[in-house]
Amino acid sequence: MFLAKVHGNVVSSVKNKELKGQKLLLVRKIGLDGEFIDNKDIIAIDYVSAGPGDIVMVTQEGDAVQQIINNKNSPVHTIIVGVVDKISVTA
């Protein structure tokens, strides 16, 4: 699992039938300081009604994602499982 920031939507009118009805968002990994770690964008299924600008918890493991959405035929690898309200780190 990792932290990411949502910075876009993905619209796809033609897609795998197992993805129909799934909201897809564009996320990018962040560090504990809230800053982007790299420039790699990742497409993730939105399971928690997140939106652009939200900091989210992301799981990137196919079997776990298929269990969460209860669909073993879905070609998914990455899912947003939580919206982060606050990050607090103590030294």
Coordinates of all heavy atoms in Angstrom, one line a residue:
M1 N 0.9 -1.2 0.0 CA 0.0 0.0 0.0 C 0.9 1.2 0.0 O 2.0 1.2 0.6 CB -0.9 0.0 1.2 CG -2.0 1.0 1.2 SD -3.2 1.0 2.6 CE -3.5 -0.7 2.8
F2 N 0.4 2.3 -0.6 CA 1.2 3.5 -0.7 C 0.3 4.7 -0.7 O -0.9 4.6 -0.9 CB 2.1 3.6 -1.9 CG 1.5 3.5 -3.2 CD1 1.0 4.6 -3.9 CD2 1.3 2.2 -3.8 CE1 0.4 4.5 -5.1 CE2 0.7 2.1 -5.1 CZ 0.3 3.3 -5.7
L3 N 0.8 5.9 -0.4 CA 0.1 7.1 -0.4 C 0.2 7.8 -1.8 O 1.3 7.7 -2.5 CB 0.6 8.1 0.6 CG 0.4 7.8 2.0 CD1 1.2 8.7 2.9 CD2 -1.1 7.7 2.4
A4 N -0.9 8.4 -2.3 CA -0.8 9.0 -3.6 C -1.8 10.2 -3.6 O -2.6 10.4 -2.7 CB -1.3 8.1 -4.7
K5 N -1.6 11.1 -4.6 CA -2.5 12.2 -4.8 C -3.2 12.0 -6.1 O -2.6 11.7 -7.1 CB -1.7 13.5 -4.8 CG -2.7 14.7 -4.9 CD -1.9 16.0 -4.8 CE -2.0 16.6 -3.4 NZ -1.4 18.0 -3.4
V6 N -4.5 12.2 -6.0 CA -5.4 12.1 -7.2 C -5.2 13.4 -8.0 O -5.3 14.5 -7.5 CB -6.9 11.9 -6.9 CG1 -7.7 11.9 -8.2 CG2 -7.1 10.7 -6.1
H7 N -4.8 13.3 -9.3 CA -4.6 14.5 -10.1 C -5.3 14.4 -11.5 O -5.1 15.3 -12.3 CB -3.2 14.9 -10.2 CG -2.3 14.0 -11.0 ND1 -2.0 14.3 -12.3 CD2 -1.8 12.8 -10.7 CE1 -1.2 13.3 -12.8 NE2 -1.1 12.4 -11.9
G8 N -6.3 13.5 -11.6 CA -7.0 13.5 -12.8 C -8.0 12.3 -12.9 O -8.0 11.4 -12.1
N9 N -8.9 12.4 -13.9 CA -9.8 11.4 -14.2 C -9.4 10.6 -15.5 O -8.8 11.2 -16.4 CB -11.2 11.9 -14.4 CG -11.8 12.6 -13.2 OD1 -12.1 11.9 -12.2 ND2 -12.0 13.9 -13.2
V10 N -9.8 9.4 -15.6 CA -9.6 8.7 -16.9 C -11.0 8.3 -17.4 O -11.8 7.6 -16.7 CB -8.8 7.4 -16.6 CG1 -8.7 6.6 -17.9 CG2 -7.4 7.7 -16.1
V11 N -11.3 8.8 -18.6 CA -12.6 8.4 -19.3 C -12.3 7.5 -20.4 O -11.4 7.8 -21.3 CB -13.2 9.7 -19.8 CG1 -14.5 9.4 -20.5 CG2 -13.5 10.7 -18.7
S12 N -13.0 6.4 -20.4 CA -12.8 5.3 -21.4 C -14.2 4.8 -21.9 O -14.8 4.1 -21.1 CB -12.0 4.2 -20.9 OG -11.9 3.2 -21.8
S13 N -14.6 5.2 -23.1 CA -15.9 4.7 -23.6 C -15.9 3.3 -24.0 O -16.9 2.6 -24.0 CB -16.4 5.6 -24.7 OG -15.5 5.7 -25.7
V14 N -14.7 2.8 -24.4 CA -14.5 1.4 -24.8 C -13.5 0.8 -23.9 O -12.4 1.2 -23.8 CB -14.0 1.3 -26.3 CG1 -13.8 -0.2 -26.6 CG2 -15.0 1.9 -27.2
K15 N -13.9 -0.3 -23.1 CA -13.0 -0.9 -22.2 C -13.5 -2.3 -21.9 O -14.6 -2.7 -22.3 CB -12.9 -0.1 -20.9 CG -14.3 0.1 -20.2 CD -14.1 1.1 -19.0 CE -15.4 1.6 -18.5 NZ -15.3 2.7 -17.6
N16 N -12.7 -3.1 -21.2 CA -13.0 -4.5 -20.8 C -14.4 -4.5 -20.1 O -14.7 -3.6 -19.3 CB -11.9 -5.0 -19.9 CG -12.2 -6.4 -19.5 OD1 -13.0 -6.7 -18.6 ND2 -11.5 -7.3 -20.1
K17 N -15.2 -5.5 -20.4 CA -16.6 -5.5 -19.8 C -16.5 -5.6 -18.3 O -17.5 -5.1 -17.7 CB -17.4 -6.7 -20.4 CG -16.8 -8.0 -20.0 CD -17.7 -9.2 -20.6 CE -17.1 -10.5 -20.1 NZ -18.0 -11.6 -20.4
E18 N -15.5 -6.1 -17.7 CA -15.4 -6.2 -16.3 C -15.1 -4.8 -15.6 O -15.3 -4.7 -14.4 CB -14.3 -7.2 -15.9 CG -14.4 -8.6 -16.5 CD -15.7 -9.3 -16.0 OE1 -16.2 -9.0 -14.9 OE2 -16.1 -10.2 -16.7
L19 N -14.8 -3.9 -16.4 CA -14.5 -2.5 -15.9 C -15.7 -1.6 -16.0 O -15.6 -0.4 -15.6 CB -13.3 -1.9 -16.6 CG -11.9 -2.6 -16.3 CD1 -10.8 -2.0 -17.2 CD2 -11.6 -2.5 -14.8
K20 N -16.7 -2.0 -16.7 CA -17.9 -1.2 -16.8 C -18.5 -0.8 -15.5 O -18.6 -1.6 -14.6 CB -19.0 -1.9 -17.7 CG -18.5 -2.0 -19.1 CD -19.7 -2.4 -20.0 CE -19.1 -2.4 -21.4 NZ -19.9 -2.4 -22.5
G21 N -18.8 0.5 -15.3 CA -19.3 1.0 -14.1 C -18.2 1.4 -13.1 O -18.6 1.9 -12.0
Q22 N -17.0 1.1 -13.4 CA -15.9 1.5 -12.5 C -15.4 2.9 -12.8 O -15.1 3.2 -13.9 CB -14.7 0.5 -12.6 CG -15.1 -1.0 -12.3 CD -15.4 -1.2 -10.8 OE1 -15.2 -0.3 -9.9 NE2 -15.9 -2.4 -10.5
K23 N -15.2 3.7 -11.7 CA -14.6 5.0 -11.9 C -13.1 4.9 -11.9 O -12.5 4.3 -11.0 CB -15.1 5.9 -10.8 CG -14.5 7.3 -10.8 CD -15.1 8.1 -9.7 CE -14.4 9.4 -9.4 NZ -14.9 10.1 -8.2
L24 N -12.4 5.4 -12.9 CA -11.0 5.4 -13.0 C -10.3 6.7 -12.7 O -10.8 7.7 -13.3 CB -10.5 4.8 -14.3 CG -11.1 3.5 -14.8 CD1 -10.7 3.2 -16.2 CD2 -10.6 2.4 -13.9
L25 N -9.3 6.7 -11.8 CA -8.6 8.0 -11.5 C -7.2 7.9 -11.8 O -6.6 6.8 -11.8 CB -8.9 8.4 -10.1 CG -10.3 8.7 -9.6 CD1 -10.4 9.0 -8.1 CD2 -10.8 9.9 -10.4
L26 N -6.5 9.0 -12.0 CA -5.1 9.1 -12.3 C -4.5 9.5 -10.9 O -4.8 10.6 -10.4 CB -4.8 10.1 -13.3 CG -3.5 10.0 -14.1 CD1 -3.4 8.6 -14.8 CD2 -3.5 11.1 -15.2
V27 N -3.5 8.7 -10.4 CA -2.9 9.0 -9.2 C -1.4 9.0 -9.4 O -0.8 8.4 -10.3 CB -3.2 8.0 -8.0 CG1 -4.7 8.0 -7.8 CG2 -2.8 6.6 -8.4
R28 N -0.7 9.7 -8.4 CA 0.8 9.7 -8.4 C 1.3 9.6 -7.0 O 0.8 10.2 -6.1 CB 1.3 11.0 -9.0 CG 2.8 11.0 -9.3 CD 3.3 12.3 -9.9 NE 2.8 12.3 -11.3 CZ 2.9 13.4 -12.1 NH1 3.5 14.5 -11.6 NH2 2.5 13.4 -13.3
K29 N 2.3 8.7 -6.8 CA 2.8 8.5 -5.4 C 3.3 9.7 -4.8 O 3.9 10.6 -5.5 CB 3.9 7.4 -5.5 CG 3.5 6.0 -5.8 CD 4.6 5.1 -5.8 CE 4.2 3.7 -6.1 NZ 5.3 2.7 -6.1
I30 N 3.1 9.8 -3.5 CA 3.6 11.0 -2.7 C 4.4 10.4 -1.5 O 4.2 9.3 -1.0 CB 2.5 12.0 -2.2 CG1 1.5 11.3 -1.3 CG2 1.9 12.6 -3.4 CD1 0.6 12.2 -0.6
G31 N 5.2 11.3 -0.9 CA 5.9 11.0 0.3 C 5.1 11.4 1.5 O 4.0 12.0 1.4
L32 N 5.6 11.2 2.7 CA 4.9 11.6 3.9 C 4.8 13.2 4.0 O 3.9 13.7 4.8 CB 5.6 11.1 5.2 CG 5.6 9.6 5.3 CD1 6.4 9.1 6.5 CD2 4.2 9.0 5.4
D33 N 5.6 13.9 3.3 CA 5.5 15.3 3.3 C 4.5 15.9 2.3 O 4.2 17.0 2.2 CB 6.9 16.0 2.9 CG 7.4 15.5 1.6 OD1 6.7 14.7 0.9 OD2 8.5 16.0 1.2
G34 N 3.8 14.9 1.6 CA 2.8 15.3 0.6 C 3.3 15.7 -0.8 O 2.5 16.0 -1.7
E35 N 4.6 15.6 -1.0 CA 5.2 16.0 -2.3 C 5.3 14.7 -3.1 O 5.5 13.6 -2.7 CB 6.6 16.6 -2.1 CG 6.6 17.9 -1.3 CD 5.8 19.0 -2.0 OE1 5.9 19.1 -3.2 OE2 5.1 19.7 -1.3
F36 N 5.2 14.9 -4.5 CA 5.3 13.8 -5.4 C 6.7 13.2 -5.3 O 7.7 13.9 -5.2 CB 5.0 14.3 -6.8 CG 3.6 14.7 -7.1 CD1 3.3 16.0 -7.5 CD2 2.6 13.8 -6.9 CE1 2.0 16.3 -7.8 CE2 1.2 14.2 -7.2 CZ 1.0 15.4 -7.6
I37 N 6.7 11.8 -5.3 CA 8.0 11.1 -5.3 C 8.6 11.0 -6.7 O 9.8 11.1 -6.8 CB 7.8 9.7 -4.7 CG1 7.3 9.8 -3.2 CG2 9.0 8.8 -4.8 CD1 7.0 8.5 -2.6
D38 N 7.8 10.8 -7.7 CA 8.3 10.7 -9.0 C 7.3 11.3 -10.0 O 6.3 11.9 -9.6 CB 8.6 9.2 -9.4 CG 7.4 8.3 -9.2 OD1 6.3 8.8 -9.4 OD2 7.7 7.1 -8.9
N39 N 7.5 11.1 -11.3 CA 6.6 11.6 -12.3 C 5.7 10.5 -13.0 O 5.2 10.7 -14.0 CB 7.4 12.3 -13.4 CG 8.0 13.6 -12.9 OD1 7.4 14.2 -12.0 ND2 9.2 13.9 -13.4
K40 N 5.7 9.3 -12.3 CA 4.9 8.2 -12.9 C 3.4 8.2 -12.5 O 3.1 8.2 -11.3 CB 5.5 6.9 -12.4 CG 4.9 5.6 -12.9 CD 5.6 4.4 -12.4 CE 4.8 3.2 -12.8 NZ 5.3 2.0 -12.1
D41 N 2.6 8.3 -13.5 CA 1.1 8.3 -13.3 C 0.6 6.9 -13.3 O 1.1 6.0 -14.0 CB 0.4 9.1 -14.4 CG 0.8 10.5 -14.4 OD1 0.9 11.1 -13.3 OD2 0.8 11.1 -15.4
I42 N -0.4 6.6 -12.4 CA -0.9 5.3 -12.3 C -2.4 5.4 -12.4 O -3.0 6.3 -11.7 CB -0.6 4.7 -10.9 CG1 1.0 4.6 -10.7 CG2 -1.2 3.3 -10.7 CD1 1.4 4.4 -9.3
I43 N -3.1 4.5 -13.1 CA -4.5 4.5 -13.2 C -5.0 3.5 -12.1 O -4.5 2.4 -12.0 CB -5.0 4.0 -14.6 CG1 -4.5 4.9 -15.7 CG2 -6.5 3.8 -14.6 CD1 -4.7 4.4 -17.1
A44 N -6.0 4.0 -11.4 CA -6.5 3.2 -10.3 C -8.1 3.2 -10.3 O -8.6 4.3 -10.6 CB -6.0 3.7 -8.9
I45 N -8.7 2.1 -9.9 CA -10.1 2.1 -9.7 C -10.4 2.9 -8.4 O -9.7 2.7 -7.4 CB -10.6 0.7 -9.6 CG1 -10.6 0.0 -10.9 CG2 -12.0 0.6 -9.0 CD1 -11.1 -1.4 -10.9
D46 N -11.4 3.7 -8.4 CA -11.8 4.5 -7.2 C -12.9 3.7 -6.5 O -14.0 3.6 -6.9 CB -12.3 5.8 -7.6 CG -12.8 6.7 -6.5 OD1 -12.3 6.4 -5.3 OD2 -13.6 7.6 -6.7
Y47 N -12.5 3.2 -5.3 CA -13.5 2.4 -4.5 C -14.1 3.2 -3.3 O -14.9 2.8 -2.6 CB -12.7 1.2 -3.9 CG -13.6 0.1 -3.3 CD1 -14.4 -0.6 -4.1 CD2 -13.6 -0.1 -2.0 CE1 -15.2 -1.6 -3.6 CE2 -14.4 -1.1 -1.4 CZ -15.2 -1.9 -2.2 OH -16.0 -2.9 -1.7
V48 N -13.7 4.5 -3.2 CA -14.1 5.3 -2.0 C -14.6 6.7 -2.4 O -14.6 7.6 -1.5 CB -12.9 5.4 -1.0 CG1 -12.5 4.1 -0.4 CG2 -11.7 6.1 -1.6
S49 N -14.9 6.9 -3.6 CA -15.4 8.3 -4.0 C -14.4 9.4 -3.8 O -14.8 10.5 -3.4 CB -16.7 8.6 -3.3 OG -17.7 7.6 -3.7
A50 N -13.2 9.1 -4.2 CA -12.1 10.1 -4.1 C -12.3 11.1 -5.3 O -13.0 10.8 -6.3 CB -10.8 9.5 -4.1
G51 N -11.5 12.2 -5.3 CA -11.6 13.1 -6.4 C -10.2 13.8 -6.6 O -9.4 13.7 -5.7
P52 N -10.1 14.6 -7.7 CA -8.9 15.3 -7.9 C -8.5 16.2 -6.7 O -9.3 16.8 -6.1 CB -9.2 16.2 -9.1 CG -10.2 15.4 -9.8 CD -11.0 14.8 -8.8
G53 N -7.2 16.1 -6.3 CA -6.7 16.8 -5.2 C -6.6 16.0 -3.9 O -5.9 16.4 -2.9
D54 N -7.4 14.9 -3.8 CA -7.4 14.1 -2.6 C -6.1 13.3 -2.4 O -5.6 12.9 -3.4 CB -8.6 13.1 -2.6 CG -9.9 13.7 -2.3 OD1 -10.0 14.8 -1.8 OD2 -10.9 13.1 -2.7
I55 N -5.7 13.2 -1.2 CA -4.6 12.3 -0.9 C -5.3 10.9 -0.5 O -6.2 10.9 0.3 CB -3.8 12.8 0.3 CG1 -3.0 14.1 -0.1 CG2 -2.8 11.7 0.8 CD1 -2.2 14.8 0.9
V56 N -4.8 9.9 -1.1 CA -5.5 8.6 -1.0 C -4.5 7.5 -0.6 O -3.3 7.6 -0.8 CB -6.2 8.2 -2.3 CG1 -7.3 9.2 -2.5 CG2 -5.3 8.2 -3.5
M57 N -5.0 6.4 -0.1 CA -4.3 5.1 0.2 C -4.6 4.2 -1.0 O -5.8 4.0 -1.4 CB -4.7 4.5 1.5 CG -4.4 5.3 2.7 SD -4.9 4.5 4.2 CE -6.6 4.5 4.1
V58 N -3.5 3.7 -1.6 CA -3.7 2.8 -2.8 C -3.1 1.5 -2.6 O -2.0 1.3 -2.0 CB -3.0 3.5 -4.0 CG1 -3.1 2.7 -5.3 CG2 -3.5 4.9 -4.2
T59 N -3.8 0.4 -3.0 CA -3.3 -0.9 -3.0 C -3.0 -1.3 -4.4 O -3.8 -1.1 -5.3 CB -4.3 -1.9 -2.4 OG1 -4.5 -1.5 -1.0 CG2 -3.9 -3.3 -2.4
Q60 N -1.8 -1.9 -4.6 CA -1.4 -2.3 -6.0 C -1.0 -3.7 -6.0 O 0.2 -4.1 -6.0 CB -0.2 -1.4 -6.4 CG 0.0 -1.4 -7.9 CD 1.0 -0.3 -8.3 OE1 2.0 -0.1 -7.6 NE2 0.7 0.4 -9.4
E61 N -2.0 -4.6 -5.9 CA -1.8 -6.0 -5.9 C -3.0 -6.7 -6.5 O -4.1 -6.6 -5.9 CB -1.5 -6.5 -4.4 CG -0.7 -7.7 -4.3 CD -1.5 -9.0 -4.5 OE1 -2.8 -9.0 -4.6 OE2 -0.9 -10.1 -4.5
G62 N -2.9 -7.3 -7.6 CA -4.1 -7.9 -8.3 C -5.0 -8.7 -7.6 O -6.2 -8.5 -7.6
D63 N -4.5 -9.7 -6.8 CA -5.4 -10.6 -6.1 C -6.2 -9.8 -5.0 O -7.4 -10.1 -4.8 CB -4.7 -11.7 -5.4 CG -4.2 -12.8 -6.4 OD1 -4.7 -12.8 -7.5 OD2 -3.2 -13.5 -6.0
A64 N -5.6 -8.9 -4.3 CA -6.3 -8.1 -3.3 C -7.4 -7.3 -3.9 O -8.5 -7.2 -3.4 CB -5.3 -7.2 -2.5
V65 N -7.0 -6.7 -5.1 CA -8.0 -5.8 -5.8 C -9.2 -6.6 -6.2 O -10.4 -6.2 -6.0 CB -7.4 -5.1 -7.0 CG1 -8.4 -4.3 -7.8 CG2 -6.2 -4.2 -6.5
Q66 N -9.0 -7.8 -6.8 CA -10.1 -8.6 -7.2 C -10.9 -9.1 -6.0 O -12.2 -9.2 -6.2 CB -9.5 -9.8 -8.0 CG -9.0 -9.5 -9.3 CD -8.3 -10.6 -10.0 OE1 -8.0 -11.7 -9.4 NE2 -8.0 -10.5 -11.3
Q67 N -10.4 -9.3 -4.9 CA -11.1 -9.6 -3.7 C -12.0 -8.5 -3.2 O -13.1 -8.6 -2.9 CB -10.2 -10.1 -2.6 CG -9.6 -11.5 -2.8 CD -8.7 -11.9 -1.7 OE1 -8.7 -11.3 -0.6 NE2 -7.8 -12.8 -2.0
I68 N -11.4 -7.3 -3.2 CA -12.1 -6.1 -2.8 C -13.3 -5.8 -3.7 O -14.4 -5.5 -3.1 CB -11.2 -4.9 -2.8 CG1 -10.1 -5.0 -1.6 CG2 -12.0 -3.6 -2.6 CD1 -9.0 -4.0 -1.7
I69 N -13.2 -5.9 -5.0 CA -14.3 -5.6 -5.9 C -15.1 -6.8 -6.1 O -16.1 -6.8 -6.8 CB -13.8 -4.9 -7.2 CG1 -13.0 -5.9 -8.0 CG2 -13.2 -3.6 -6.9 CD1 -12.6 -5.4 -9.4
N70 N -14.7 -8.0 -5.5 CA -15.5 -9.2 -5.6 C -15.7 -9.7 -7.1 O -16.8 -10.0 -7.5 CB -16.8 -9.1 -4.9 CG -17.4 -10.5 -4.6 OD1 -16.7 -11.5 -4.5 ND2 -18.7 -10.6 -4.6
N71 N -14.6 -9.6 -7.9 CA -14.6 -10.0 -9.3 C -13.3 -10.6 -9.7 O -12.4 -9.8 -10.0 CB -15.0 -8.8 -10.1 CG -15.2 -9.2 -11.6 OD1 -14.8 -10.2 -12.0 ND2 -15.9 -8.3 -12.3
K72 N -13.2 -11.9 -9.8 CA -11.9 -12.6 -10.1 C -11.6 -12.4 -11.6 O -10.4 -12.7 -12.0 CB -12.0 -14.0 -9.7 CG -12.0 -14.2 -8.2 CD -11.9 -15.7 -7.9 CE -12.1 -15.9 -6.4 NZ -10.9 -16.1 -5.7
N73 N -12.5 -12.0 -12.4 CA -12.3 -11.8 -13.8 C -11.8 -10.4 -14.2 O -11.5 -10.2 -15.4 CB -13.5 -12.2 -14.6 CG -13.9 -13.6 -14.4 OD1 -13.1 -14.5 -14.4 ND2 -15.2 -13.9 -14.3
S74 N -11.8 -9.5 -13.3 CA -11.5 -8.1 -13.6 C -10.0 -8.0 -13.8 O -9.2 -8.4 -13.0 CB -12.0 -7.2 -12.4 OG -11.8 -5.9 -12.8
P75 N -9.6 -7.3 -14.9 CA -8.2 -7.1 -15.2 C -7.6 -5.9 -14.5 O -7.1 -4.9 -15.1 CB -8.2 -6.9 -16.7 CG -9.5 -6.2 -16.9 CD -10.4 -6.8 -15.9
V76 N -7.7 -5.9 -13.2 CA -7.2 -4.7 -12.4 C -6.0 -5.1 -11.5 O -5.9 -6.2 -11.0 CB -8.3 -4.2 -11.5 CG1 -8.9 -2.9 -12.0 CG2 -9.4 -5.1 -11.2
H77 N -5.3 -4.1 -11.2 CA -4.1 -4.2 -10.4 C -4.0 -3.2 -9.3 O -3.3 -3.4 -8.3 CB -2.8 -4.1 -11.3 CG -1.5 -4.4 -10.6 ND1 -0.7 -3.3 -10.2 CD2 -0.9 -5.5 -10.3 CE1 0.3 -3.9 -9.7 NE2 0.2 -5.2 -9.6
T78 N -4.7 -2.1 -9.5 CA -4.5 -0.9 -8.6 C -5.9 -0.4 -8.2 O -6.7 -0.1 -9.0 CB -3.7 0.2 -9.2 OG1 -2.5 -0.4 -9.7 CG2 -3.3 1.2 -8.3
I79 N -6.1 -0.1 -6.9 CA -7.4 0.4 -6.4 C -7.1 1.4 -5.2 O -6.2 1.2 -4.4 CB -8.3 -0.8 -5.9 CG1 -9.7 -0.3 -5.6 CG2 -7.7 -1.5 -4.7 CD1 -10.7 -1.4 -5.5
I80 N -8.0 2.4 -5.2 CA -7.9 3.4 -4.1 C -8.9 2.9 -3.0 O -10.0 2.6 -3.3 CB -8.4 4.8 -4.6 CG1 -7.5 5.3 -5.7 CG2 -8.5 5.7 -3.4 CD1 -8.0 6.5 -6.4
V81 N -8.3 2.7 -1.8 CA -9.0 2.1 -0.7 C -9.3 3.0 0.4 O -10.0 2.6 1.4 CB -8.3 0.8 -0.2 CG1 -8.3 -0.3 -1.2 CG2 -6.9 1.1 0.3
G82 N -8.8 4.2 0.4 CA -9.1 5.2 1.5 C -8.7 6.6 1.1 O -7.8 6.8 0.3
V83 N -9.4 7.6 1.7 CA -9.1 9.0 1.5 C -8.4 9.4 2.8 O -9.0 9.2 3.9 CB -10.3 9.8 1.2 CG1 -10.0 11.3 1.2 CG2 -11.0 9.4 -0.1
V84 N -7.3 10.0 2.7 CA -6.5 10.4 3.9 C -6.9 11.8 4.4 O -6.9 12.7 3.6 CB -5.0 10.4 3.6 CG1 -4.2 10.9 4.8 CG2 -4.5 9.0 3.2
D85 N -7.3 11.9 5.7 CA -7.6 13.2 6.2 C -6.4 13.9 6.7 O -6.3 15.2 6.6 CB -8.6 13.0 7.4 CG -9.9 12.4 7.0 OD1 -10.4 12.8 5.9 OD2 -10.4 11.5 7.6
K86 N -5.4 13.2 7.2 CA -4.3 13.9 7.8 C -3.1 12.9 7.9 O -3.3 11.7 8.1 CB -4.6 14.3 9.3 CG -3.5 15.0 10.0 CD -4.0 15.4 11.4 CE -2.9 16.0 12.2 NZ -3.3 16.4 13.5
I87 N -1.9 13.4 7.7 CA -0.7 12.6 7.8 C 0.1 13.2 9.0 O 0.4 14.4 9.0 CB 0.2 12.6 6.6 CG1 -0.6 12.0 5.4 CG2 1.5 11.8 6.8 CD1 0.1 12.2 4.0
S88 N 0.4 12.4 10.0 CA 1.1 12.9 11.2 C 2.3 12.0 11.4 O 2.1 10.8 11.6 CB 0.2 12.9 12.4 OG 0.9 13.3 13.5
V89 N 3.5 12.5 11.5 CA 4.7 11.7 11.7 C 5.4 12.3 13.0 O 5.6 13.5 13.0 CB 5.7 11.8 10.5 CG1 6.9 11.0 10.8 CG2 5.0 11.3 9.2
T90 N 5.7 11.4 13.9 CA 6.5 11.8 15.0 C 7.9 11.3 14.9 O 8.1 10.2 14.5 CB 5.8 11.3 16.3 OG1 5.7 9.9 16.3 CG2 4.5 11.9 16.6
A91 N 8.8 12.0 15.4 CA 10.3 11.7 15.3 C 10.7 10.7 16.4 O 10.1 10.6 17.4 CB 11.1 12.9 15.4

